[in-house]
Amino acid sequence: MLRAALCAIFLLCALPSLAKESQGHVSVVLLGATGDLAKKYLWEGLFHLYLDQVSSGHSFTFHGAALTAHEPGQRLMFEVLKKLACPSDVSPDRCAVVKDQFLKLSQYHQLKTSENYTALNREIGTLLQQEGLEEAGRIFYFSVPPFAYAEIAHHINGSCRPRPGAWLRVVLEKPFGHDLKSAQQLAIELRTFFREEEMYRVDHYLGKQAVAHILPFRDQNRQFLDPIWNRHHVERVEIVLKETLDAKGRTSFYEQYGVIRDVLQNHLTEVLLYLAMELPANISSTKEVLRRKLQTFKSLQGLESTSAVLGQYQAYASQVREELQKAQDYVSTTPTFAGVLIQLDSLRWEGVPFLLTSGKALDERVGYVRVLFKNRAYCTQRESLREMGKSQCEAKQIIFHIGHGELSCPAVLISRNLFKPIMPEGSWKEVVDHPQLHLFGLPLSDYYVYSPVKEREAYSVLISSIFHGRKDSFITTENLLASWEFWTPLLDSLTQQVPRLYPGGLENQHLLDFEMMGRELSFTLEEPVELLHSDGQTPSDYRTIQAKFRQSPLVSAWPEELIARLALDIETAAAKAVARCGEFHLALSGGSSPIVLFQRLVRHHYGFPWRRTHLWLVDERCVPLADPESNFRSLHNHLLQHVRVPYLNIHPMLVHLNRRLCVEEDQGPELYAKEIAALVTNASLDFVLLGLGSDGHTASLFPHSSSGLEGAKTVVLTESPVKPHQRMSLSLPLINKARQVAVLVMGKGKHEITTQISRVGQEPRKWPISGVNPSSGQLVWYMDYDALLG
C-alpha cells in the first residue's frame, strides 16, 4: 500500500503546476499514537503538515507506534485518522484526495523491544531502496510519559537513526522533570543518546498565535514601546490561564505535579520571558533570543512561600480517593489553583509586579496577557462627554488574548489612547466590526483589535516548525534547567502549605481574589469556617475553640482565625504595656509559621503602637543577617519594612561580630543579655512568641542538650541537629520571666509531637518545650486544627 501511495503522490507532484525537484524522504514516527494527546492534536497536526508539504518535493511516511499489539493498535489508530479534518480554506475535493493519500501513507507498529525498532529501521530502509528515494531525515515524536524516554532513546540511538547526512529530530513532551534535580537527571540521560540540536522540547503555548506574536509585536513597534515598556510606565503585568474543567480523570498526574508544575513553571514562565526580556537586534536569531531569555532568568527575584496563594476545588480530594483508591481519611494538599507574584531585579522592571495565575474549576475558560499602564491623567470633563477611546483618563493597556473567553479567538488589543500599532498585513487583520463586548471594563471599540488572518492550532504550528528545523519556539536544556532552578525553591517551601478550598465555577465568587503587599500575596477575603454541631448544623457565630493544653489556656481554630486571634492578643498586650510603662518589649521566633502573623499585623493592625515597641529575637541562626536563612532577614522582609519601628528599637541577635559568626571570644550572647538587662525592666519581656519543633524543641533549645535549659545565663549558643548547626537563643530561665508567652503550632506535620507533648510532664532535657512555664506570667497555646486533631 505504501509503494502505491508513494507512486500516486509522485504522479500528483509531476503535474506541471506542482513539479519540484525531489527534496528527499521524511519518516515520521509518532510514539504513543493511540494516546489522548495524539488523538486530540498530534495526528491533526501531522495531517496539516502533509497537507502543506504534499507539493513541496518531499515524500513522507507516517508510522504510528505504541505498546499495544498490532491489530488492536492499528484499529484504534485508524479510527482517529478517519476523523481528520482539513482547515476551512481547503476545498472539499482536495481535502478528500490528500486525506486518502495520508491514510495510505500511515501504518501502525508495535514498538516494545529492540527487535521492533530494528524491524522498523529495516522497513524504512527497504522502502527507500525500492523506491530509489534519498532520505532527508526522521522525526520521532515522544507522546509518552517521561519515565519511558531513556529506554526509547536507547533503542532509537542504537538501531533506528537515519543514514549519515540525514537529520534526526526528536520531539519531547512535558513534563520535563518534577524539580531541578529530576530535570537535570533527565537531561543527562537524553544527552547520552541525542545532541542538543536534535531535541525539540514542546511547550505548546509557544505555538499559540497570540503568544508567538509577542516578540514580533515588540520588535515591529519599538518606536512606540521603547519609551513606555518599563517600570516608569507599566503598573503591572497579568499572565492568566483559567479553566472551567476540573482534574477528574487526570488525578494521578495532578497529584504528582499540581497547577504550578503543570502550567506556571512552563507555559506562563515562557510568556513572562517574552514580555520581560531585552529585545535582541534580530529576533529571528534563536541563539540571541535564548541568550536574552537566560539573562532574564538571572534577574528574577527568588520566590518565597509568601509569594504565592494556593487553592484546591472542593471535589478534588474525593476524586483522588476514588481514582487512586485512597483511604477515606486521605487528605491531599495538591493545589489546583495558584497565584504567584514575580518581580525582577532590573533597571527596566524593578518594582513592577508580574502576576501569574492559573487554576481548574474556575468561572471561565480563557487565556490572556494584560500589560496595564500607569495613568497619571485627571480629566475635568465628565465621562459622558469625553470622546470614546481617546480620553487619557481611560485605562491604557495592551492585551494578548490567547484564546477562549468572550472573544473566543486569538487577538491582540491595544488601547486607542496608547498608539495605533504596526501589524503584519499578511498574517494579522484589523477587526473593525466590533461586537457589543466589553473587555476589562471597556467596550471593544476602545481598542485597536487584531486577529489572525488564518487561525492555526498550536500543535500544527509547532509540528511545521519541527519539520523545517526552526528551534525558536522550543525549550532548550539550558532554558529548562534555568526555569526549574527558579521554581524549585518555591515548590519546596509550599510542600506543607494547605491550599484554600473553593467550591468551583461561578460559586467561587470573590473567594480566590488576592492582593499584593510589597513582595507578598494574600487572599483578600478570610477563609470561611465550616464546623458542624452534632446535629449537622453550622454555628453562624463560630470563631475559635478555647480549652486547656498542659494545664494552660488553649486557643484553637482554622489557620486564618487563629492568626487573627493571636495578632489581636499581641496588640492588646502592647496597648497595656505602653499604658503601664510607655513601651512594649516583644520577642519573636523564626520559622515559617510567624510569617502569616507578621502579614496580619501589617495589614490589619494600623493602631499597633510600633513607635513604642522594642523588637527582640528569640533565636537566630549563625549566619549573616542578610542571609536567606537568617530569622532577622525574614522579620525584616515580612514585618519591619512595612511598619514604622524606630531604628534603635530593633535588636537583632549579635551573631556576626568582628567579621566572624558565633565565636565565643566575641561574647555575642553576653552582649545581647546586657542589652536586654539595660532596656527591659527586670529582664522581663512583655510578650514572647515561641514555636514548636517536631522533635519538641522551642526557640533554639534542643533535646538532649543542657545548654540554655537552666542556670544563670539568659542568652546562649546552642547546636542544632540540622544545618546551619550553630544557633543563638534566649534561655528557658529568661523566657520564663516574661509576662506573656505564646506558643504557635500549625500544620498537620506537628500533630504527632503535639500529641506526645500533651502526655508528658516537665522534662525539658527530653522535650525543651515542656520547660516553658512562666514564673509570674501566663502561657497560652495557639494551635490550628491540623496540629491539634491531625
Side-chain angles (χ1 to χ4, degrees):
M1 182 180 285
L2 282 175
R3 291 189 62 185
L6 285 168
C7 290
I9 291 162
F10 293 146
L11 288 172
L12 182 66
C13 294
L15 295 172
S17 62
L18 299 174
K20 275 197 175 184
E21 184 181 346
S22 174
Q23 301 295 311
H25 185 78
V26 178
S27 304
V28 181
V29 182
L30 175 55
L31 297 133
T34 56
D36 284 344
L37 186 64
K39 291 176 184 176
K40 290 179 180 177
Y41 302 112
L42 301 184
W43 280 116
E44 193 83 30
L46 292 173
F47 176 49
H48 289 175
L49 171 69
Y50 181 65
L51 196 61
D52 291 340
Q53 299 297 322
V54 67
S55 305
S56 68
H58 283 99
S59 59
F60 291 86
T61 47
F62 298 90
H63 306 267
L67 298 176
T68 310
H70 185 269
E71 283 191 18
Q74 181 168 267
R75 185 174 63 254
L76 286 170
M77 189 182 92
F78 275 90
E79 285 175 4
V80 177
L81 299 189
K82 289 172 184 176
K83 297 175 183 176
L84 294 174
C86 294
S88 58
D89 60 344
V90 177
S91 70
D93 289 345
R94 183 170 187 266
C95 181
V97 171
V98 176
K99 181 178 176 179
D100 182 61
Q101 295 298 335
F102 181 79
L103 265 63
K104 290 176 180 176
L105 291 171
S106 302
Q107 57 181 280
Y108 178 82
H109 304 263
Q110 183 185 35
L111 289 185
K112 197 171 184 179
T113 65
S114 57
E115 290 78 14
N116 296 147
Y117 285 86
T118 302
L120 173 62
N121 185 59
R122 186 167 54 247
E123 185 176 317
I124 293 171
T126 300
L127 178 69
L128 294 169
Q129 186 177 12
Q130 290 177 343
E131 300 302 326
L133 299 172
E134 187 76 12
E135 184 167 30
R138 299 181 188 181
I139 296 172
F140 285 86
Y141 201 120
F142 286 41
S143 181
V144 296
F147 66 76
Y149 282 4
E151 183 181 354
I152 295 172
H154 173 74
H155 291 316
I156 292 171
N157 188 58
S159 58
C160 222
R161 275 186 170 270
R163 64 164 182 84
W167 46 257
L168 172 67
R169 290 170 192 156
V170 176
V171 189
L172 305 166
E173 277 285 346
K174 77 175 185 75
F176 310 119
H178 186 266
D179 53 17
L180 178 59
K181 185 177 179 180
S182 60
Q184 288 171 330
Q185 182 60 40
L186 183 58
I188 291 168
E189 289 177 351
L190 290 170
R191 272 201 296 259
T192 305
F193 306 109
F194 306 126
R195 299 189 300 274
E196 180 66 32
E197 62 268 24
E198 293 177 327
M199 291 187 283
Y200 290 70
R201 290 184 184 85
V202 170
D203 183 330
H204 77 275
Y205 240 56
L206 301 187
K208 291 185 177 290
Q209 288 168 289
V211 173
H213 194 61
I214 292 174
L215 285 185
F217 179 86
R218 290 182 60 193
D219 184 50
Q220 292 155 12
N221 291 279
R222 286 180 194 250
Q223 59 181 310
F224 306 118
L225 292 174
D226 277 354
I228 63 173
W229 201 255
N230 55 60
R231 61 191 170 98
H232 301 296
H233 295 272
V234 176
E235 180 178 315
R236 70 170 181 259
V237 179
E238 301 167 3
I239 307 171
V240 176
L241 173 59
K242 295 165 65 177
E243 297 182 84
T244 53
L245 291 177
D246 60 19
K248 190 172 184 179
R250 294 186 69 219
T251 56
S252 60
F253 168 83
Y254 232 75
E255 271 297 271
Q256 294 181 65
Y257 291 93
V259 68
I260 295 180
R261 291 180 174 91
D262 186 34
V263 178
L264 278 74
Q265 178 271 330
N266 37 70
H267 305 327
L268 303 195
T269 300
E270 288 300 311
V271 174
L272 181 149
L273 296 175
Y274 277 0
L275 295 164
M277 63 184 274
E278 294 298 315
L279 276 183
N282 178 14
I283 65 167
S284 298
S285 168
T286 302
K287 186 176 179 181
E288 273 302 295
V289 170
L290 173 61
R291 187 172 71 84
R292 296 300 176 100
K293 286 170 74 175
L294 293 174
Q295 286 176 349
T296 307
F297 267 122
K298 291 178 181 177
S299 71
L300 299 180
Q301 293 182 7
L303 299 175
E304 299 180 11
S305 59
T306 53
S307 305
V309 289
L310 305 179
Q312 182 190 98
Y313 65 85
Q314 285 178 327
Y316 178 77
S318 61
Q319 290 171 353
V320 170
R321 289 193 289 268
E322 180 182 346
E323 293 179 17
L324 304 186
Q325 298 181 333
K326 299 287 187 180
Q328 283 304 305
D329 60 350
Y330 176 79
V331 176
S332 170
T333 57
T334 301
T336 61
F337 168 86
V340 176
L341 169 61
I342 296 176
Q343 294 188 330
L344 291 85
D345 282 323
S346 72
L347 285 175
R348 182 182 296 277
W349 296 114
E350 183 182 6
V352 177
F354 285 72
L355 292 167
L356 278 57
T357 306
S358 185
K360 290 190 169 295
L362 300 181
D363 61 308
E364 63 175 337
R365 184 185 184 191
V366 68
Y368 64 83
V369 176
R370 182 189 183 208
V371 182
L372 180 65
F373 291 86
K374 296 176 181 178
N375 199 329
R376 299 182 177 90
Y378 170 76
C379 295
T380 308
Q381 190 87 326
R382 71 175 183 266
E383 187 175 354
S384 60
L385 296 178
R386 297 175 200 160
E387 188 177 354
M388 296 300 291
K390 297 291 181 68
S391 170
Q392 290 302 306
C393 284
E394 288 189 359
K396 300 177 182 181
Q397 49 202 339
I398 296 174
I399 300 161
F400 298 93
H401 193 271
I402 298 166
H404 304 291
E406 289 189 89
L407 286 182
S408 75
C409 65
V412 179
L413 304 93
I414 303 92
S415 294
R416 288 182 178 271
N417 57 5
L418 267 177
F419 59 86
K420 183 174 175 62
I422 298 169
M423 297 289 283
E425 292 183 8
S427 52
W428 291 81
K429 61 184 178 184
E430 185 172 2
V431 180
V432 292
D433 182 21
H434 299 104
Q436 297 301 309
L437 290 178
H438 282 68
L439 205 60
F440 300 108
L442 295 175
L444 225 53
S445 57
D446 280 9
Y447 300 94
Y448 294 109
V449 183
Y450 297 85
S451 65
V453 172
K454 179 182 178 181
E455 283 191 47
R456 298 192 66 193
E457 208 285 319
Y459 277 100
S460 294
V461 173
L462 294 175
I463 287 171
S464 176
S465 294
I466 295 162
F467 170 73
H468 289 100
R470 295 192 295 263
K471 295 205 70 175
D472 50 323
S473 296
F474 298 89
I475 310 301
T476 66
T477 302
E478 273 188 294
N479 193 145
L480 172 69
L481 297 181
S483 181
W484 277 119
E485 186 175 5
F486 172 68
W487 284 100
T488 297
L490 175 68
L491 290 164
D492 289 344
S493 73
L494 296 175
T495 52
Q496 298 300 318
Q497 187 160 319
V498 179
R500 165 172 289 197
L501 291 178
Y502 59 96
L506 297 177
E507 293 180 31
N508 295 333
Q509 298 193 30
H510 301 296
L511 198 58
L512 296 178
D513 294 351
F514 54 85
E515 60 187 359
M516 296 172 284
M517 175 69 77
R519 293 178 56 187
E520 300 175 3
L521 287 186
S522 66
F523 287 115
T524 56
L525 296 179
E526 293 187 3
E527 190 165 11
V529 176
E530 294 185 0
L531 261 192
L532 297 180
H533 285 304
S534 58
D535 60 1
Q537 297 301 308
T538 303
S540 59
D541 60 345
Y542 168 74
R543 285 298 176 192
T544 58
I545 288 178
Q546 292 188 268
K548 292 280 186 180
F549 183 82
R550 290 182 56 83
Q551 289 78 52
S552 294
L554 166 68
V555 179
S556 187
W558 297 113
E560 288 191 26
E561 292 289 351
L562 185 71
I563 292 299
R565 172 62 186 273
L566 175 56
L568 179 61
D569 289 351
I570 293 175
E571 183 174 8
T572 301
K576 288 180 180 178
V578 170
R580 185 177 64 251
C581 57
E583 57 189 18
F584 176 56
H585 290 274
L586 172 63
L588 297 169
S589 287
S592 58
S593 293
I595 290 174
V596 288
L597 171 66
F598 301 159
Q599 293 170 338
R600 178 81 192 186
L601 289 169
V602 168
R603 294 170 184 164
H604 296 274
H605 293 261
Y606 293 101
F608 199 101
W610 292 115
R611 292 186 182 277
R612 301 290 189 90
T613 298
H614 285 259
L615 287 174
W616 304 85
L617 285 180
V618 168
D619 62 333
E620 181 60 281
R621 297 172 172 89
C622 291
V623 296
L625 297 185
D627 190 282
E629 294 278 354
S630 167
N631 289 343
F632 180 77
R633 175 173 171 169
S634 176
L635 179 67
H636 174 270
N637 289 349
H638 302 295
L639 180 65
L640 293 178
Q641 67 176 350
H642 303 297
V643 296
R644 296 180 179 179
V645 179
Y647 176 76
L648 294 177
N649 288 13
I650 301 170
H651 308 283
M653 277 189 157
L654 305 176
V655 294
H656 200 180
L657 296 171
N658 303 319
R659 299 183 181 180
R660 304 187 294 186
L661 292 167
C662 294
V663 176
E664 286 190 17
E665 293 80 41
D666 294 330
Q667 296 189 321
E670 290 79 5
L671 291 172
Y672 201 61
K674 286 180 181 179
E675 193 175 355
I676 293 173
L679 296 174
V680 183
T681 304
N682 299 323
S684 178
L685 295 160
D686 293 304
F687 200 105
V688 175
L689 176 66
L690 300 175
L692 172 62
S694 56
D695 59 354
H697 83 265
T698 191
S700 280
L701 306 173
F702 297 97
H704 313 298
S705 171
S706 59
S707 182
L709 299 181
E710 54 190 23
K713 287 189 175 182
T714 55
V715 185
V716 295
L717 292 177
T718 66
E719 288 285 327
S720 166
V722 297
K723 292 182 179 180
H725 296 297
Q726 278 192 304
R727 308 287 176 93
M728 187 180 292
S729 178
L730 302 186
S731 69
L732 266 183
L734 180 63
I735 291 169
N736 285 333
K737 290 178 71 174
R739 290 176 176 272
Q740 286 183 251
V741 178
V743 182
L744 177 61
V745 190
M746 298 178 69
K748 194 177 291 291
K750 298 294 176 66
H751 176 61
E752 185 176 343
I753 186 63
T754 300
T755 303
Q756 288 178 316
I757 292 300
S758 70
R759 298 168 181 168
V760 302
Q762 194 165 339
E763 302 177 58
R765 286 183 180 273
K766 190 173 183 181
W767 317 99
I769 188 69
S770 69
V772 177
N773 186 22
S775 53
S776 57
Q778 184 183 43
L779 168 64
V780 180
W781 296 82
Y782 295 80
M783 293 187 191
D784 71 2
Y785 289 124
D786 281 338
L788 183 64
L789 306 174

